[in-house]
Structures are given as structure tokens and as C-alpha cells.
């Protein structure tokens, strides 16, 4: 039986409703609006009448500040009702938290809970006003208008997914055919990548690929996962003549000098390290390391966060600690779903050092936005209003930080028209762990990969490739499944688990479930893997093998342990109320293999995956800045020009 409960803040505590009232009057200019009410609606199934009565004033409402109504709520005949709920398949933290609280209250099975937010409007509103409010309050990426009718059951009839199809004729497709396929499947791969794939399957595998294989490859080679833009091979570099052309040329020549020192004179073109933005950015560190100037840098196969070794004085002696730094950008997710995008920006930044077994204790947030006071009617087509993005993102970041218990020391919001088309959302964190509590070993055949933490759903399917594609006016309505949904309480449980040395020392290698889901998080752990997708825990039934392989559902970890430690690790996770399942085995095959319904839906060579696709090429043209003394952002005197050689010498001295 489905029971329904409504909860509404009492006058004086209805801060959210009053804030929305001001937003609608100010942002949309609806001066005829006279009042706004917000009611939280919960449908619950799977508990007794007695348990429901207990939950009304303990879980679903707080009597001092809330009015609770069963089955129906008071509504004036002049009030306009807009009920809003999450899209099917999206993780709803509010409903999930309510279900967990009820389970704690009853000590029984977890009930089914569905949540909706009901907005009631007062005033003489035109049809245009109401439509504007609907568009403002309902983001099609994550929500939809809900039904007012109470359902007979909350059970979702699971649609049995079809078997994974083979892409017939792929290895014989011509260029236009490959382009059409990429468009139909909404792949992020370039035509060159598609041609490269065709060659691999035709020559090496001698078969057509499955849909899962194409999705996995697309995810693996996405700009988000493999930094394609920064690894693009740069051919000629031309510098515009101008006031500072000599300075730029000198810096470029210094880069070439450092390359020769780091890589040596390599005559074999096949072995020559290619010039790219990534190489330009990282060459100083490679140089300093070669000269022995980075002795505190922690080097390992785990590259989830920058890690340095620090000797700490504990009062009773010296102790080595690993200090880890990580920043995460969530520009695209925050652009289309501000709250969830900014929340998972912080969540993702935390997960990287956490996968290195470090406890994150400090955060920083830097964002770039257009003018948040811009009128809604001046919003770019296909975009959310700047004010809505800015406020929603701030709420999402703070919500995640508050729930996981992380202090954010610096918050910087930059306003500039250059951020109108694409927002900047950066979260940076710092964490630490005793070096003696971390073990890093190369996975061996027979080792087990354990999936730890949250369950898998459709939220985040295609997130990595989605953020790597060019977007248009249809992105808001077409990219819903690409948005991840955070679950900070689960991540906090993982933090507690990993702070136990008896647990962290069982871990040989660990990867967080960020971009790419199972295919990348588990796929990167070892050169050969057999993954059983049927063992992956699901939020609901109906997911097919491809969705299980690429879903980026949050707050999950992939942990490699020896087979004899598997049971112990799972037992320790259970003590923290964390679900953990062994889903893969390390092999010596140098192949990434994924099985679903007893059949391998992906079986790809590691060597092919590691190519990162077709090599991208570009030519570089550096414009020479022109700043008149005192008139520009800055000015440089010729004798103060950047001297890379002097910088090298200073580093060597110090």
C-alpha cells in the first residue's frame, strides 16, 4: 500500500519559499505574483500503519518547524500547482535518505520512497507567466513535471533489456557510413578515430564490434579521460611579429633546450617524444626530476592525485606522510545542471586522493560566471540563466561539503562575459595519509577487483564523452543521463573505511569511479581483466550491459586485493554499511573482457586501447600581446623579460 505525506515549513521558517518568491519577481519580472509555497511530497510503500505514524514526525517532518499533512494538503482555489520530480533513472538523494532513515527507525527492510517538490503560486498570473515559471523551475536535464495522482504502487516494472547487438558491416563501412554511425550513436570520436577502429577490428579481430565495445572505446578515448586536446601533436609553431615576439621566441627556444636535456637527441622519429600542450606543461617537472630536485615527489602507478612525501614531527619522533593535491573541473555538468554539477565537482576531487587512501581535510572553489544579474530574457538560447547557474552551483558545492564534513577555505567567483557560453567550475582539495598506511603493488593474475560503495544506475551514462563533445541548443534536453548525482554520505563511509590501516594495507591498487565507470575505473587497474557485469550491484533492474559498463554513478571505488584478502575486505566494508562485491579478476591476457548474461560483450586488446585513438595533429600560431605601458593589464620591460635559462639556474642552486 502506498501512503502519502506532505511537509511544509511553517511561517517564519519558509525561507526557501520566500527566496523563490523573490527570484521569480526579480528574475522573471512577474510583479503580479503575490505568494509562493513549497511543499515536500513523499510517497512510501513497504511499511505498516504503526511504522508510518512514527515516521511522519520523525523522518518526514519536524513538528516545531513543519506542518505535516497525510494524503492531502490545504490548497486555495486560486493557487496554481506545479509539482516537480526527478527524471526516471536519476538518483534522488532526498528519497534515498528518507528510505534509509525509515529503515533505521523500523529496523526492517528498506521501504520504497518517491519524492516530489510541489510549488504553489498565488497571484493574477497569465499563461505566459506560468509557462515562464515552469521553464525556470524545471530543468529538463534532471527534472520533469510530476503527476498529482497517487500511484497504486512504487514498484517499477523492470523492462528486460535486449541483448547487446553487433554493429553489422562496421569493418566494411566507408567514411560517410562511419560518420553517420558516430552521429546516430552520439559518439565523441572523430572520423579519424572511427577509421582507426575500423582498421583494428578488420585486421586484428577480423569481426564487427559490439555496441558495448564502441561505447567503451569512445569513453576510453574521450578528451575527458585521455586529454586528447592536450596530447594533440603540434607541428609547426609560428610566432606573430610584435612587441614581445622576441620574449616568446626565447621562451620557446628554452623549451626546446629542456626537451633535449630531458629526452636526449633521439634520431628515431618513431621514438621521438612529440610536442604537445601536455609536454609543454609538464617538461619543467620532468627536468627538475631528472636533475634530482624533486626528491619529495611520490612516484607510483597510481596517478589519481599529485602526491608528495612530507616528514612530520609528531613530538615523539619523525614520521613520513603522503600529502595529496587534486583539482577537478566540472564546467560542462555545472553548465547544464548547476547543483549536481558543482556537488560532484567537489565529490570527484575528494575521491581521487581518497582512492590513494588519503583523508581530505581542506577544499577551495574557483568559478567563472557571466553576470548573474543578467535578465532571464537575455539568456543565450539553449542555456540556463546565469543567476540560476551561479546560485544553484553554490548550493550544490556547499551541500556536498556540509554533508561530508569538509571545510572550504577559499571561494572565488569571477564574473566575466567570457564565461557566458561555458561556465568555469573548479574544486581543489588537499589530503594526507601516513605513508606506512599505504601499500602499492602491481596487480598479479588471480587478484580480485572489488567494487565498493554506491550502486550503479543510469545517472552519468556518457558523462565522459558528453563533456568531450561540442554542445548546441538541444543539449539541455538531450544530455540528462550524462549528469552524475552525488551521494556524500556514502563517500563519507568510504573515508572512514580507508582510514583503518588494517583495511588500507589490504589494497594493492585503487581507482575511483569517475569518468568512464566500470570500463575505465576497473579497466585502468591492470593490463588484463575479466569483468562480470552481471555481478555489478544495480539501483534498479533493467540496465543493459553497455549501461553497466559506462555508467558514472558516483561514490564508488574499484579496489584490487589478493584473492585471499577478498573476504576480509568485504567483511570490513560491511561494518561501515558499505556494499562491496568482487566483480573482476586480473589476468595475464592483456585484454579487457566484459561479460554480460554469460556472453562477452567486450573483448578488446590492451595495446589497442592504450593507443588513445588516432593521433591528432595541429599547427600553432602564437599571437604577440600588445600592451602599452600603463594601459594594459600588465606591462613588461625588455630587461625584465622572462629568462627560462636563469630560472633553471636558480632552481639548480636552490
Amino acid at each position: 500500500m502506498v501512503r502519502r505525506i506532505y511537509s511544509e515549513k511553517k511561517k517564519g521558517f519558509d525561507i526557501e519559499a520566500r527566496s523563490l518568491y523573490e527570484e521569480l519577481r526579480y528574475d522573471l519580472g512577474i510583479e503580479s505574483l503575490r505568494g509562493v509555497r513549497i511543499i515536500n511530497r513523499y510517497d512510501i510503500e513497504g511499511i505498516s500503519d504503526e511504522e508510518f505514524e512514527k515516521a511522519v514526525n520523525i523522518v518526514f517532518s519536524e513538528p516545531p518547524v513543519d506542518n505535516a499533512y497525510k494524503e492531502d494538503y490545504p490548497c486555495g482555489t486560486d493557487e496554481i500547482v506545479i509539482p516537480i520530480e526527478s527524471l526516471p533513472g536519476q538518483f534522488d538523494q532526498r528519497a534515498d535518505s528518507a528510505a534509509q532513515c525509515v529503515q533505521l527507525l523500523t529496523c526492517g527492510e528498506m521501504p520504497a520512497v518517491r519524492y516530489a517538490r510541489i510549488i504553489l503560486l498565488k497571484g493574477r498570473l497569465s499563461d505566459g507567466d506560468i509557462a515562464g515559471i515552469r521553464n525556470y523551475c524545471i530543468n529538463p536535464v534532471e527534472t520533469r513535471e510530476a503527476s498529482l495522482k497517487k500511484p497504486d504502487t512504487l514498484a517499477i516494472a523492470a523492462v528486460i533489456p535486449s541483448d547487446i547487438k553487433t554493429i553489422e558491416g562496421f569493418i566494411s563501412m566507408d567514411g560517410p557510413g562511419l560518420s553517420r554511425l558516430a552521429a546516430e550513436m552520439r559518439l565523441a570520436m572523430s572520423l579519424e578515430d572511427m577509421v582507426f577502429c575500423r582498421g583494428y577490428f578488420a585486421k586484428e579481430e577480423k569481426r564487427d564490434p559490439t555496441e558495448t565495445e564502441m561505447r567503451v572505446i569512445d569513453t576510453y578515448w574521450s578528451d575527458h579521460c585521455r586529454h586528447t586536446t592536450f596530447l594533440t601533436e603540434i607541428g609547426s609553431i609560428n610566432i606573430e611579429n610584435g612587441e614581445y615576439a622576441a620574449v616568446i621566441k626565447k621562451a620557446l627556444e628554452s623549451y626546446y633546450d629542456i626537451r633535449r636535456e630531458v629526452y636526449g637527441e633521439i634520431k628515431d622519429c618513431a621514438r621521438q617524444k612529440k610536442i604537445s600542450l601536455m609536454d609543454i606543461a609538464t617538461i619543467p617537472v620532468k627536468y627538475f626530476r631528472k636533475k634530482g630536485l624533486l626528491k619529495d615527489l611520490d612516484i607510483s602507478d597510481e596517478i589519481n592525485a599529485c602526491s608528495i612525501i612530507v616528514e612530520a614531527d609528531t613530538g615523539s619522533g619523525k614520521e613520513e606522510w603522503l600529502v595529496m593535491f587534486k583539482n577537478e573541473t566540472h564546467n560542462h555538468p555545472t553548465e547544464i545542471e548547476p547543483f549536481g554539477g558543482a556537488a560532484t565537482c567537489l565529490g570527484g576531487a575528494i575521491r581521487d586522493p581518497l582512492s590513494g587512501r588519503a583523508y581530505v581535510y581542506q577544499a577551495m572553489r574557483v568559478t567563472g560566471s557571466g553576470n548573474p544579474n543578467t535578465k532571464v530574457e537575455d539568456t543565450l538560447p539553449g542555456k540556463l540563466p546565469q543567476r540560476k547557474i551561479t546560485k544553484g552551483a553554490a548550493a550544490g558545492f556547499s551541500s556536498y561539503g556540509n554533508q561530508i564534513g569538509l571545510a572550504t577555505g577559499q571561494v572565488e567567483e569571477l564574473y566575466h562575459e567570457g564565461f557566458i557560453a561555458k561556465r568555469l567550475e573548479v574544486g581543489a582539495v588537499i589530503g594526507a595519509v601516513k605513508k606506512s598506511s599505504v601499500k602499492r603493488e602491481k596487480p598479479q593474475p588471480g587478484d580480485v577487483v572489488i567494487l565498493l560503495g554506491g550502486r550503479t544506475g543510469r545517472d552519468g551514462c556518457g558523462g565522459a564523452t558528453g563533456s568531450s563533445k561540442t554542445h548546441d541548443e538541444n543539449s539541455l534536453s538531450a544530455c540528462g543521463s550524462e549528469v552524475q548525482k552525488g551521494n556524500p554520505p556514502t563517500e563519507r563511509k568510504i573515508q572512514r573505511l580507508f582510514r583503518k590501516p588494517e583495511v588500507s594495507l589490504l589494497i594493492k591498487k585503487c581507482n575511483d569511479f569517475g569518468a568512464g565507470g566500470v570500463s575505465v575505473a576497473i579497466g585502468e587497474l591492470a593490463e588484463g581483466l575479466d569483468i562480470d557485469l552481471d555481478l555489478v550491484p544495480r539501483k534498479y533492474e533493467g540496465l543493459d550491459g553497455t549501461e553497466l559498463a559506462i555508467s558514472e554513478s558516483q561514490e564508488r571505488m574499484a579496489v584490487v586485493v589478493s584473492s585471499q584478502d577478498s573476504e576480509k575486505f568485504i567483511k570490513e566494508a560491511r561494518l561501515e554499511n558499505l556494499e562491496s562485491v568482487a566483480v573482476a579478476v586480473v589476468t595475464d591476457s592483456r585484454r579487457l573482457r566484459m561479460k554480460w548474461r554469460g556472453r562477452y560483450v567486450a573483448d578488446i586488446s590492451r595495446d589497442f586501447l592504450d593507443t588513445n585513438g588516432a593521433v591528432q595533429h595541429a599547427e600553432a600560431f602564437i599571437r604577440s600581446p600588445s600592451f602599452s605601458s600603463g594601459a594594459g593589464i600588465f606591462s613588461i620591460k625588455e630587461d625584465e623579460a622572462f629568462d627560462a635559462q636563469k630560472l633553471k639556474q636558480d632552481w639548480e642552486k636552490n
Side-chain angles (χ1 to χ4, degrees), residues 492-546:
R492 191 163 186 170
K493 295 174 190 176
I494 299 174
Q495 283 186 322
R496 286 198 301 265
L497 178 68
F498 280 16
R499 294 189 82 177
K500 299 177 180 179
E502 63 270 25
V503 174
S504 65
L505 289 172
L506 297 176
I507 301 171
K508 287 187 171 185
K509 195 173 182 181
C510 181
N511 233 348
D512 76 290
F513 269 76
V518 167
S519 66
V520 175
I522 295 180
E524 289 179 335
L525 288 172
E527 294 174 346
L529 287 159
D530 262 18
I531 304 170
D532 191 340
L533 297 173
D534 291 311
L535 299 177
V536 173
R538 304 159 174 77
K539 292 178 181 176
Y540 35 76
E541 293 304 315
L543 298 175
D544 66 26
T546 302

Side-chain angles (χ1 to χ4, degrees), residues 99-312:
Q100 290 187 54
C101 289
V102 172
Q103 185 181 29
L104 287 172
L105 183 68
T106 64
C107 297
E109 294 295 320
M110 185 180 293
V113 176
R114 191 177 297 171
Y115 168 76
R117 183 172 181 250
I118 297 177
I119 299 173
L120 293 96
L121 310 169
K122 277 188 177 182
R124 290 190 170 184
L125 305 177
S126 67
D127 291 342
D129 292 337
I130 297 170
I133 293 172
R134 278 197 173 93
N135 290 335
Y136 188 85
C137 294
I138 299 175
N139 182 352
V141 163
E142 57 167 346
T143 55
R144 67 179 183 183
E145 190 160 353
S147 170
L148 293 173
K149 183 181 178 183
K150 188 174 75 171
D152 296 326
T153 179
L154 300 184
I156 300 173
V159 177
I160 300 175
S162 303
D163 288 335
I164 301 299
K165 296 179 181 178
T166 296
I167 303 175
E168 302 291 345
F170 176 81
I171 60 177
S172 60
M173 284 184 184
D174 57 11
L178 293 174
S179 295
R180 283 194 298 272
L181 177 66
E184 290 168 4
M185 295 183 69
R186 293 181 61 85
L187 301 177
M189 281 191 281
S190 65
L191 177 58
E192 292 81 4
D193 287 329
M194 296 291 284
V195 171
F196 189 53
C197 283
R198 181 186 63 190
Y200 164 73
F201 280 101
K203 296 174 184 177
E204 302 295 328
E205 300 296 334
K206 296 179 175 56
R207 61 175 175 83
D208 289 321
T210 66
E211 289 183 354
T212 303
E213 286 173 321
M214 288 304 295
R215 296 285 184 198
V216 167
I217 294 168
D218 193 45
T219 301
Y220 235 89
W221 293 351
S222 66
D223 205 337
H224 190 102
C225 292
R226 288 293 173 273
H227 309 296
T228 310
T229 299
F230 288 98
L231 291 171
T232 294
E233 183 180 334
I234 299 175
S236 62
I237 301 178
N238 298 303
I239 301 170
E240 182 183 31
N241 290 326
E243 189 176 355
Y244 301 108
V247 176
I248 298 171
K249 185 177 180 181
K250 190 174 182 179
L252 185 60
E253 288 172 350
S254 178
Y255 162 66
Y256 292 144
D257 290 341
I258 294 174
R259 274 178 58 87
R260 282 188 284 271
E261 288 196 49
V262 172
Y263 303 130
E265 294 289 350
I266 304 176
K267 296 181 180 179
D268 182 359
C269 292
R271 291 174 52 242
Q272 176 68 51
K273 181 73 174 180
K274 305 302 182 185
I275 294 174
S276 65
L277 292 175
M278 185 69 79
D279 189 60
I280 293 171
T282 58
I283 198 73
V285 176
K286 293 175 182 177
Y287 173 80
F288 296 143
R289 185 181 166 198
K290 187 171 184 177
K291 293 294 185 180
L293 300 174
L294 295 176
K295 295 178 181 178
D296 59 348
L297 188 64
D298 178 42
I299 306 297
S300 75
D301 286 338
E302 286 190 341
I303 53 172
N304 295 330
C306 176
S307 179
I308 61 172
I309 302 168
V310 175
E311 195 174 69

Side-chain angles (χ1 to χ4, degrees), residues 8 16-17 20-25 28 30 32-39 73-84 117-137 145:
E8 180 183 14
E16 185 183 13
L20 181 59
Y21 169 73
E22 294 297 335
E23 279 185 44
L24 297 178
R25 283 177 61 88
L28 301 186
I30 304 177
S32 58
L33 183 65
R34 292 290 174 261
V36 173
R37 295 168 60 195
I38 294 178
I39 298 177
Y73 62 93
C75 176
T77 55
D78 59 339
E79 288 183 307
I80 297 157
V81 181
I82 302 178
I84 304 170
R117 183 172 181 250
I118 297 177
I119 299 173
L120 293 96
L121 310 169
K122 277 188 177 182
R124 290 190 170 184
L125 305 177
S126 67
D127 291 342
D129 292 337
I130 297 170
I133 293 172
R134 278 197 173 93
N135 290 335
Y136 188 85
C137 294
E145 190 160 353

Side-chain angles (χ1 to χ4, degrees), residues 409-427:
Q410 180 174 357
V411 177
E412 199 72 34
E413 183 93 349
L414 308 174
Y415 300 111
H416 189 278
E417 62 181 12
F419 294 117
I420 294 174
K422 179 56 72 72
R423 178 183 179 80
L424 171 71
E425 185 71 38
V426 179

